[in-house]
Amino acid sequence: MIVLIGPVFFIILILVAVRLQKRGLAGWKATLLVVVGSGIILLGMFGLLFVGFRNFG
């Protein structure tokens, strides 16, 4: 399930950043949004994996 939801979050993040940039947000702020958002998504995905496999084996 994480494998399916992760890419969807990335696509939504990029679409939101592009939409905000078209509304007048500065380019560096949109880039910062994507970098921070990607980090949060990755931390969340790996965190769920670690919790899920904690008692495995």
Side-chain angles (χ1 to χ4, degrees), residues 21-33:
Q21 193 173 15
K22 285 183 180 179
R23 290 186 181 177
L25 186 69
W28 68 272
K29 288 184 181 179
T31 303
L32 184 64
L33 175 72

Side-chain angles (χ1 to χ4, degrees), residues 40-54:
I40 291 170
I41 292 170
L42 285 174
L43 283 174
M45 287 173 48
F46 283 122
L48 287 174
L49 282 173
F50 286 138
V51 168
F53 285 107
R54 181 179 49 203

Side-chain angles (χ1 to χ4, degrees), residues 3-24:
V3 175
L4 298 175
I5 292 177
V8 172
F9 283 149
F10 281 114
I11 291 170
I12 291 171
L13 177 67
I14 291 170
L15 290 176
V16 167
V18 168
R19 185 170 292 161
L20 288 174
Q21 193 173 15
K22 285 183 180 179
R23 290 186 181 177

